[in-house]
Amino acid sequence: MPSAKTQPARGMRDFLPEDVRKREYVISVIKEVYERYGFEPLETPAAENIETLMGKYGEEGNQLMFKILKRGVHEGTGEADLALRYDLTVPLARVVAEYRDKLPKFFKRYQIQPVWRADRPARGRYREFYQCDVDVLGSRSMIVEAEIISASSEALGKLGFSDFVVRLNHRKVLTGILDAAGIAQEKHVTALIALDKLDKIGADGVLREFEAREVVAAEAGKELLALFEPSGDNEEILARLERFIGSHVIGLEGLADLREIISYLPSSVVRIDPSLARGLTYYTGAIMEIQVEDLAGSMGGGGRYDNLIGMFLGRDIPACGFSLGLERIILVMSERNMFPVNLLRSPADVMMAVWRDAVEDALSVAAELRRQGLRVDVYPERDVKLGNQISYASKRSIPFVAFIGEEERGKGLVVLKNLKTGEQEILDRGEVAHVVLREVRRVE
RNA sequence: GCGGCAUUAGCUCAGUAGGUUAGAGCGCCAGAUUGUGGAUCUGGAGGUCGUGGGUUCGAGACCCACAUGCCGCCCCA
């Protein structure tokens, strides 16, 4: 039994070669799409000064943050002065505040890095996980929201997803709805938490929560919940919301934003969903989330946060972003077998077996094949029976084994065995690469 | 943070009402006429039964605590 000591820390994982291949594949697709939308790469340190992060994510976030004790003689104080980043948005806000004069007027960046949360691990949920963020800073235009939704959707599409939905809502609309329903300001957060659970616990469940937390009277609650019935297309939902909100100025601003956003996007992509709330406290405008059927949580989410950078800079810079969750994407893709087959290909195109006194010849042939662009594994021990060497290559599904025996030595000849067909031929060492390459390309 | 279930060889799991040296399948390593794999046969290595306490003449089995994992709640990517 692996003693507990060799397991990675709770909620964290080692990535074996196959895992890394999958991760790198997904990351490369996402990156490529983001680049095509004109986003530039950014990386920031794993740790931030603790005051940079504290208070940006609400009470829950403060608790789930991994804090780092002061080092050296100060360690005994038990005081933390650093923390591992909790998301990529707050570090971005810090960067923008710090380098304002060096960055373009509209800063579009993507960032694919790990973040850490001291959460309880669960399906698709870890304590160290990657976020793939895109953000646009410096513009209040709804074109930004549309572009971000479009880029994220396209990335998922490129990965092979076709059944996802982008749920779209707006903080201001929520404010309008809750005000119009007569819910007191200080009960708004409680009401939103309950509403967010609508698709999980149903309308009755939400009503019970309302009652339990004294959010709103039962009668008004029912009227409110009627708003959230999933019936109707986006236009009908928006009309319904507008009737309910009436003349609430803030709420109407939100509705106008939503109308503008969906007008820029194909109608099939986005679904207005008034029950979407999202936990992070820094959102101020549109909020969105991407969902697929067989995943309880979301595959990603984001929104507009016009005030966050102001917390660092002293003057507001509008911003909007979206974050895809790498491990959730990988989880669903693995379950659905969505990874391309050649990702799971063998570690090498050909293995050079080493035979008795021909080690140097084998190494020089290997070098030659590598120069031709082939991936060549050299069996790392000599004087091992040829059968065992071939068996080793076969188990690792390497398609070819090459070796130089007594009869070939000194003649510039190499035996090349195709492990799939079992056939083998004696070739001039110059021909080997050609034969292997032909087969490798045929398979790919 | 709360509740439930789990933890025995590298992997998946058996282990009868607590009783001598803990098992299987797969995998791994090797052998079956000195240069040929996948099939078959044979053999081998590998576990202080998650950790620490306790009950007992005796515990992998029972009790407690802790750790880790899974499923709900909470929250979230």
Side-chain angles (χ1 to χ4, degrees):
Chain A
M1 183 65 228
S3 74
K5 283 169 198 151
T6 60
Q7 294 176 336
R10 171 168 207 192
M12 304 197 180
R13 294 151 304 151
D14 298 308
F15 300 116
L16 297 183
E18 189 186 326
D19 304 316
V20 176
R21 288 223 163 90
K22 287 178 168 180
R23 298 175 71 81
E24 286 181 344
Y25 167 72
V26 172
I27 287 172
S28 73
V29 169
I30 292 172
K31 224 181 229 182
E32 188 211 306
V33 171
Y34 286 170
E35 291 264 354
R36 237 169 338 97
Y37 273 77
F39 290 93
E40 296 185 280
L42 175 76
E43 294 194 2
T44 64
E48 293 280 347
N49 291 319
I50 197 163
E51 59 268 23
T52 302
L53 303 183
M54 288 299 279
K56 305 296 193 299
Y57 308 103
E59 196 48 45
E60 188 88 12
N62 288 350
Q63 280 179 13
L64 295 180
M65 208 175 287
F66 276 102
K67 300 162 187 92
I68 301 174
L69 289 185
K70 284 188 167 180
R71 277 85 33 214
V73 292
H74 301 292
E75 187 178 328
T77 64
E79 199 184 326
D81 60 343
L82 301 175
L84 294 177
R85 65 164 107 78
Y86 187 85
D87 72 358
L88 302 177
T89 307
V90 171
L92 169 67
R94 178 186 62 71
V95 163
V96 170
E98 172 71 13
Y99 304 101
R100 183 65 190 128
D101 57 332
K102 293 194 180 68
L103 300 174
K105 179 176 176 188
F106 304 114
F107 182 42
K108 297 174 64 174
R109 83 91 175 78
Y110 69 89
Q111 185 171 358
I112 301 174
Q113 286 194 283
V115 305
W116 292 268
R117 296 182 189 176
D119 231 341
R120 181 159 189 163
R123 177 180 143 91
R125 184 183 212 178
Y126 304 95
R127 294 181 142 196
E128 177 182 57
F129 62 97
Y130 272 62
Q131 294 196 320
C132 312
D133 276 34
V134 269
D135 291 81
V136 180
L137 296 99
S139 171
R140 289 181 199 282
S141 163
M142 291 304 115
I143 294 173
V144 168
E145 270 83 343
E147 281 278 280
I148 279 171
I149 290 170
S150 176
S152 311
S153 310
E154 198 171 315
L156 288 180
K158 271 258 147 78
L159 288 168
F161 288 94
S162 54
D163 62 337
F164 59 86
V165 175
V166 181
R167 298 165 66 202
L168 177 66
N169 198 12
H170 202 293
R171 274 279 154 91
K172 289 181 178 175
V173 172
L174 284 169
T175 302
I177 292 172
L178 297 180
D179 281 346
I183 294 171
Q185 201 79 40
E186 66 269 18
K187 291 284 184 187
H188 276 198
V189 174
T190 316
L192 288 180
I193 291 171
L195 268 180
D196 201 37
K197 289 186 250 177
L198 181 63
D199 51 348
K200 237 188 204 171
I201 61 178
D204 293 341
V206 175
L207 273 178
R208 273 195 298 277
E209 290 239 355
F210 279 177
E211 206 165 337
R213 297 170 197 275
E214 298 176 343
V215 170
V216 67
E219 202 49 33
K222 271 182 195 164
E223 202 177 318
L224 176 61
L225 279 167
L227 268 186
F228 299 100
E229 297 218 346
S231 62
D233 61 17
N234 286 336
E235 270 314 316
E236 287 166 29
I237 294 171
L238 285 168
R240 208 190 302 158
L241 291 173
E242 191 162 8
R243 280 196 298 278
F244 189 84
I245 287 174
S247 59
H248 191 285
V249 177
I250 304 267
L252 290 176
E253 281 174 22
L255 284 176
D257 281 354
L258 291 182
R259 284 213 161 86
E260 189 176 348
I261 294 168
I262 61 174
S263 76
Y264 298 145
L265 291 165
S267 58
S268 56
V269 175
V270 181
R271 198 183 76 214
I272 302 280
D273 184 344
S275 73
L276 175 68
R278 287 187 67 71
L280 295 178
T281 50
Y282 50 61
Y283 291 118
T284 56
I287 46 181
M288 49 254 187
E289 215 165 86
I290 291 192
Q291 284 196 326
V292 291
E293 280 292 320
D294 41 358
L295 189 71
S298 69
M299 286 218 292
R304 175 163 285 277
Y305 49 100
D306 284 343
N307 301 335
L308 181 61
I309 296 163
M311 296 169 84
F312 294 103
L313 193 60
R315 113 186 111 82
D316 284 339
I317 291 179
C320 180
F322 196 91
S323 178
L324 287 171
L326 178 66
E327 3 293 296
R328 292 185 175 180
I329 291 172
I330 290 171
L331 176 76
V332 176
M333 286 183 68
S334 296
E335 285 177 355
R336 295 182 181 180
N337 249 321
M338 288 166 65
F339 285 100
V341 281
N342 62 6
L343 261 196
L344 311 168
R345 67 186 181 170
S346 65
D349 302 312
V350 55
M351 188 191 86
M352 213 48 227
V354 291
W355 191 245
R356 299 192 170 174
D357 299 321
V359 175
E360 282 174 29
D361 292 310
L363 289 176
S364 86
V365 170
E368 242 173 76
L369 297 178
R370 285 169 181 150
R371 273 197 295 278
Q372 306 281 335
L374 287 169
R375 299 173 304 146
V376 183
D377 191 22
V378 173
Y379 194 86
E381 293 182 351
R382 51 182 292 178
D383 299 332
V384 172
K385 284 181 140 189
L386 186 57
N388 293 343
Q389 298 194 38
I390 292 174
S391 171
Y392 174 77
S394 176
K395 273 163 196 154
R396 302 180 69 211
S397 42
I398 297 172
F400 287 97
V401 170
F403 63 92
I404 300 162
E406 299 285 325
E407 293 162 27
E408 293 79 34
R409 272 192 79 195
K411 296 181 194 161
L413 296 176
V414 174
V415 179
L416 182 67
K417 184 178 176 75
N418 182 328
L419 294 191
K420 274 181 203 148
T421 63
E423 288 162 9
Q424 71 181 46
E425 48 190 332
I426 301 175
L427 300 169
D428 259 7
R429 53 192 284 172
E431 299 172 325
V432 174
H434 176 69
V435 175
V436 175
L437 269 173
R438 193 177 52 201
E439 179 63 17
V440 167
R441 290 204 182 113
R442 197 183 63 78
V443 171
E444 279 175 2

